[in-house]
C-alpha cells in the first residue's frame, strides 16, 4: 500500500519539476531512506499523475511511519517536522533555484515571481491544504470592501511538543524565523523545519537582501523580503529608499514595512524585513479626499486618504523626491506633540510616534502611503490608546500591523466556532448570554439583531457583515486622527508643521 504512495510522490515531484524524469529511481530511494524502508515494488499505475494531490500522499506516508515506530509522536508538530524532511529531499538545491529565478527575471520580473510562488507551493513550504481552511470574506463598509480572514492554517502546538521544548537546550540558531540560516534547516519542536524552504538573493538599495514567500499566505503572493543581516527594523530615510528600490525592481508588487515600535509594530521587530505581494488592498483603492501641499515639494502629489487610519499619500515619477519628502514628514512626526489631540512624541523618555509605510507603482509614478502611528498607553487603555479598545476585543485584541492597516483583518481561530454559534443563536432566537461561545459577543449581536430579519439561511452572512463593521471600527481606533471635524483639523495642523 505504501509503495503506491511513494510512487505517487515521485510522480508528483516529476510533474511539478522538483525532479527530472531521469531521477525517478533516485527520488524513490531517497523517500525510502527517510521512511527507513529498505525494499520497494513498483506498483501498477491506477492513478492519473496530473491529478495527484500532495497532502493525502503525505498523510498516508506519515501514518505508515507512525505505525512502524519511525515517527515516534503523531502530533502535528512532529508530523510537520517529518513530512518537511521528506519534501526537503525532493526540493532542488538553493543554487539551482536561484539560477532559475535569475533566468526568469531576465525575461520579466513577473515571470520570476510567478514561478517562485508556484515553486514554494509545490515544495509544500506553503501548505495549500491548510491555507484552504482559512475562512475569508469581503465586508462592505464606508471605506470600501474590507478583507476579513480567520486564520486556521497556523497549527497550534500540542502539549507534548510544548513539554519537549522546555527540555531543549537554549539555541540561537537560527537567530529568528526570518534569518537566511533557516534555508534547509531541519527544525526542532520549537522551531519549524525548513528543508523545503528556498530564498533568492535580491539587492535592495545597494545592500544584500533575500526574497521568500510567507508560509501562511494571507493574500495573493504574500512575500517577505528581509535583510541578509539580523538587524533590527527601523523606519528612517533608508527604509523609504529600500521600499522604493523594491518596487522599482518588482513593479507588479506592493511592499510595506511594519512600524518599528511595540504595540503598533509587527511580531518580529528584531530583523529588518518588509512584506509585499500581488494584491490590491482596500487602502490602495481608497481615494485622496483632501489634497495638500508641502513647501518645497509643490511638484509632489500629496493628500490625506479617505481611510479610517491617518494616511498621507505622496506620489511622483522620481523616487528621490519621495524619499526626501517622506523623510521630512517622518522627522516632523517623530518630534510632534499636540496635547489637544492627545498626541505626545514621548513620555518619560519613551518615544511614541512612528510610521507604517507602504510603497507601490501606480502607472509611471512611485507612490508612498505614510500611515501615522502612536503607541501611547493610558490607564483607561493600557494596551494602547490608538489600538482596538476593550469593547472590540471580542473580535480583535491583537496589534494592528501592516496587513491590518491596509484593510485585511487577520482574526483569531477561535472566531470560527464563536461566530457560527452567534449566527445559530440569532437564527433560533436563543439567549446569547447562555453559552461561553456567544457570551462575549452578546452586547454586540444584540445591538444589530433588530436591524435584520434573521433566518437560518442568512444569519452567518449577517454576522460576517457586522464583523467587517467591527474591523472598520478597529481601524478607526488605531487612527491617531479621528474622522470627525476636530480630528481632521488636528491632522491639518500636523501637515502644516512639516517644513
Amino acid at each position: 500500500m505504501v509503495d503506491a504512495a511513494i510512487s505517487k510522490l515521485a510522480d508528483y515531484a516529476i510533474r511539478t519539476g522538483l525532479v527530472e524524469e531521469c531521477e525517478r529511481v533516485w527520488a524513490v530511494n531517497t523517500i525510502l531512506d527517510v521512511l527507513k524502508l529498505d525494499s520497494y515494488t513498483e506498483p501498477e499505475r491506477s492513478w492519473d499523475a496530473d491529478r495527484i494531490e500532495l497532502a493525502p500522499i503525505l498523510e498516508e506516508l506519515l501514518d505508515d511511519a507512525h505505525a512502524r515506530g519511525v515517527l515516534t509522536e503523531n502530533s502535528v508538530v512532529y508530523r510537520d517536522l517529518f513530512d518537511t524532511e521528506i519534501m526537503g529531499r525532493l526540493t532542488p538545491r538553493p543554487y539551482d533555484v536561484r539560477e532559475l529565478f535569475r533566468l526568469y527575471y531576465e525575461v520579466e520580473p513577473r515571470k520570476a515571481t510567478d514561478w517562485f510562488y508556484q515553486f514554494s507551493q509545490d515544495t509544500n513550504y506553503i501548505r495549500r491544504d491548510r491555507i484552504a481552511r482559512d475562512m475569508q470574506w469581503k465586508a462592505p463598509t464606508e471605506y470600501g470592501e474590507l478583507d476579513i480572514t480567520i486564520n486556521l492554517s497556523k497549527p497550534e502546538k500540542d502539549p507534548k511538543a510544548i513539554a519537549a521544548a522546555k527540555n531543549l537546550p537554549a539555541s540561537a540558531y537560527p537567530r529568528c524565523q526570518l534569518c537566511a540560516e533557516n534555508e534547509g534547516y531541519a527544525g526542532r519542536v520549537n522551531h519549524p523545519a525548513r528543508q523545503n524552504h528556498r530564498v533568492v538573493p535580491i539587492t535592495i538599495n545597494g545592500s544584500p537582501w533575500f526574497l521568500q514567500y510567507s508560509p501562511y499566505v494571507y493574500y495573493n503572493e504574500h512575500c517577505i523580503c528581509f535583510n541578509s543581516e539580523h538587524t533590527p527594523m527601523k523606519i528612517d530615510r533608508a527604509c523609504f529608499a529600500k521600499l522604493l528600490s523594491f518596487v522599482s525592481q518588482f513593479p507588479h508588487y506592493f511592499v510595506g514595512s511594519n512600524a518599528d515600535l511595540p504595540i503598533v509594530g509587527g511580531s518580529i521587530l528584531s530583523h529588518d524585513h518588509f512584506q509585499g505581494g500581488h494584491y490590491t488592498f482596500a487602502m490602495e483603492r481608497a481615494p485622496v479626499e483632501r489634497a495638500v501641499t508641502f513647501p518645497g515639494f509643490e511638484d509632489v502629489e500629496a493628500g490625506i486618504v479617505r481611510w479610517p487610519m491617518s494616511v498621507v499619500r505622496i506620489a511622483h515619477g522620481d523616487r528621490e523626491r519621495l524619499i526626501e519628502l517622506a523623510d521630512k514628514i517622518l522627522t516632523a512626526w517623530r518630534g510632534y506633540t499636540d496635547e489637544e489631540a492627545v498626541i505626545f512624541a514621548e513620555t518619560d523618555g519613551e518615544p511614541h510616534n512612528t510610521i507604517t509605510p507602504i510603497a507601490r507603482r501606480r502607472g509611471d509614478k512611485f507612490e508612498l502611503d505614510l500611515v501615522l502611528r502612536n503607541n501611547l498607553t493610558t490607564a483607561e487603555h493600557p494596551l494602547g490608546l490608538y489600538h482596538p479598545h476593550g469593547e472590540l476585543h471580542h473580535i480583535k485584541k491583537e496589534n494592528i500591523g501592516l496587513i491590518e492597516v491596509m484593510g485585511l483583518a487577520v482574526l483569531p481561530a477561535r472566531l470560527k466556532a464563536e461566530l457560527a454559534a452567534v449566527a445559530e443563536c440569532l437564527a433560533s432566537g436563543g439567549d446569547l448570554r447562555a453559552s461561553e461561545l456567544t457570551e462575549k459577543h452578546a452586547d454586540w449581536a444584540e445591538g444589530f439583531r433588530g436591524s435584520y430579519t434573521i433566518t437560518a439561511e442568512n444569519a452567518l452572512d449577517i454576522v460576517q457583515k457586522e464583523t467587517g463593521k467591527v474591523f472598520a471600527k478597529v481601524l478607526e481606533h488605531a487612527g491617531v486622527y479621528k474622522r470627525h471635524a476636530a480630528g481632521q483639523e488636528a491632522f491639518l495642523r500636523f501637515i502644516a508643521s512639516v517644513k
Side-chain angles (χ1 to χ4, degrees), residues 92-120 198-203 209-213 221 223-225 246 249-250 252-253:
R93 292 171 56 198
Y95 175 84
D96 297 328
V97 174
R98 296 173 184 193
E99 187 65 11
L100 262 177
F101 184 88
R102 184 186 65 80
L103 291 172
Y104 279 119
Y105 186 88
E106 287 178 356
V107 176
E108 185 187 2
R110 185 166 178 173
K111 286 187 181 298
T113 55
D114 283 352
W115 171 79
F116 191 33
Y117 185 57
Q118 184 64 46
F119 170 85
S120 298
R198 297 292 180 265
V199 300
V200 294
I202 56 176
T203 300
W209 281 52
F210 290 100
L211 176 67
Q212 66 172 67
Y213 287 98
E221 297 181 47
C223 72
I224 300 171
C225 53
F246 180 89
Q249 296 176 67
F250 300 95
H252 57 299
Y253 274 11

Side-chain angles (χ1 to χ4, degrees), residues 308-369:
M309 297 186 71
S310 307
V311 186
V312 178
R313 178 172 293 163
I314 57 177
H316 198 278
D318 180 358
R319 61 184 181 178
E320 292 301 323
R321 293 293 286 160
L322 289 191
I323 293 167
E324 288 283 343
L325 178 53
D327 186 42
K328 277 190 175 292
I329 294 170
L330 173 65
T331 301
W333 181 243
R334 289 281 196 198
Y336 187 76
T337 290
D338 184 342
E339 293 188 17
E340 183 183 344
V342 200
I343 293 169
F344 295 90
E346 57 88 21
T347 56
D348 300 324
E350 179 188 349
H352 296 306
N353 290 349
T354 186
I355 278 176
T356 300
I358 301 102
R360 64 182 74 90
R361 299 292 298 269
R362 201 186 289 264
D364 59 355
K365 292 182 179 177
F366 293 92
E367 188 170 273
L368 277 176
D369 281 351

Side-chain angles (χ1 to χ4, degrees), residues 6-27:
I6 293 169
S7 183
K8 287 178 184 178
L9 183 54
D11 284 351
Y12 169 86
I14 291 166
R15 174 172 63 81
T16 55
L18 300 180
V19 303
E20 298 295 330
E21 178 67 50
C22 65
E23 299 173 313
R24 193 176 201 285
V25 170
W26 167 85

Side-chain angles (χ1 to χ4, degrees), residues 261-335:
L261 293 178
I263 297 177
V264 296
S267 58
I268 302 179
L269 297 179
S270 61
H271 195 136
D272 193 14
H273 72 285
F274 305 141
Q275 295 181 77
H278 195 193
Y279 190 72
T280 303
F281 287 89
M283 191 174 81
E284 181 178 344
R285 294 192 296 268
V288 167
E289 64 180 352
R290 180 161 190 156
V292 298
T293 303
F294 293 95
F297 292 89
E298 289 79 8
D299 57 320
V300 178
E301 294 178 23
I304 295 172
V305 178
R306 189 180 187 283
W307 192 244
M309 297 186 71
S310 307
V311 186
V312 178
R313 178 172 293 163
I314 57 177
H316 198 278
D318 180 358
R319 61 184 181 178
E320 292 301 323
R321 293 293 286 160
L322 289 191
I323 293 167
E324 288 283 343
L325 178 53
D327 186 42
K328 277 190 175 292
I329 294 170
L330 173 65
T331 301
W333 181 243
R334 289 281 196 198

Side-chain angles (χ1 to χ4, degrees), residues 73-293:
E73 297 289 347
N74 201 31
S75 63
V76 64
V77 171
Y78 292 92
R79 289 173 75 91
D80 282 2
L81 289 169
F82 197 80
D83 71 7
T84 302
E85 182 181 1
I86 295 172
M87 293 306 299
R89 296 290 189 96
L90 301 172
T91 300
R93 292 171 56 198
Y95 175 84
D96 297 328
V97 174
R98 296 173 184 193
E99 187 65 11
L100 262 177
F101 184 88
R102 184 186 65 80
L103 291 172
Y104 279 119
Y105 186 88
E106 287 178 356
V107 176
E108 185 187 2
R110 185 166 178 173
K111 286 187 181 298
T113 55
D114 283 352
W115 171 79
F116 191 33
Y117 185 57
Q118 184 64 46
F119 170 85
S120 298
Q121 296 172 75
D122 290 341
T123 63
N124 209 41
Y125 168 70
I126 296 173
R127 294 174 180 264
R128 282 177 285 217
D129 58 312
R130 289 188 184 166
I131 302 302
R133 299 176 196 167
D134 289 348
M135 290 182 63
Q136 298 177 338
W137 68 93
K138 292 185 180 292
T141 72
E142 62 180 294
Y143 306 107
E145 281 194 331
L146 301 182
D147 293 297
I148 314 294
T149 181
I150 296 178
N151 176 32
L152 303 170
S153 57
K154 277 189 178 180
E156 295 184 5
K157 286 189 176 179
D158 58 274
K160 283 188 176 180
I162 293 171
K166 288 180 180 178
N167 297 324
L168 287 178
S171 174
Y173 184 88
R175 291 184 68 180
C176 76
Q177 290 191 27
L178 285 178
C179 286
E181 288 78 14
N182 283 279
E183 186 178 44
Y185 185 62
R188 51 187 190 265
V189 291
N190 61 354
H191 192 102
R194 290 291 184 251
Q195 292 105 317
N196 59 348
H197 175 45
R198 297 292 180 265
V199 300
V200 294
I202 56 176
T203 300
I204 297 295
N205 200 35
S207 298
W209 281 52
F210 290 100
L211 176 67
Q212 66 172 67
Y213 287 98
S214 166
Y216 305 114
V217 191
Y218 291 130
Y219 50 85
N220 186 48
E221 297 181 47
H222 180 179
C223 72
I224 300 171
C225 53
F226 60 97
N227 199 317
S228 63
E229 300 288 331
H230 182 86
T231 186
M233 292 182 65
K234 187 177 182 182
I235 303 300
D236 57 9
R237 180 191 180 96
C239 174
F240 303 133
K242 292 170 191 172
L243 293 171
L244 292 169
S245 173
F246 180 89
V247 297
S248 71
Q249 296 176 67
F250 300 95
H252 57 299
Y253 274 11
F254 80 89
V255 71
S257 175
N258 268 303
D260 55 356
L261 293 178
I263 297 177
V264 296
S267 58
I268 302 179
L269 297 179
S270 61
H271 195 136
D272 193 14
H273 72 285
F274 305 141
Q275 295 181 77
H278 195 193
Y279 190 72
T280 303
F281 287 89
M283 191 174 81
E284 181 178 344
R285 294 192 296 268
V288 167
E289 64 180 352
R290 180 161 190 156
V292 298
T293 303

Side-chain angles (χ1 to χ4, degrees), residues 382-454:
L383 297 182
L385 178 60
Y386 304 107
H387 177 88
H389 294 172
E391 68 269 22
L392 307 181
H393 288 179
H394 66 104
I395 295 293
K396 180 70 173 176
K397 184 179 181 180
E398 299 77 16
N399 291 355
I400 303 306
L402 171 68
I403 294 172
E404 285 90 358
V405 163
M406 295 185 292
L408 192 159
V410 181
L411 302 181
R414 63 175 173 83
L415 287 177
K416 178 183 181 182
E418 291 177 9
L419 296 184
V422 169
E424 184 178 344
C425 199
L426 289 173
S428 66
D431 181 3
L432 288 159
R433 301 179 191 278
S435 164
E436 187 177 334
L437 282 176
T438 58
E439 184 181 13
K440 68 172 70 72
H441 302 290
D443 288 346
W444 166 62
E446 288 169 355
F448 66 76
R449 177 181 233 160
S451 302
Y452 298 94
T453 301
I454 300 176

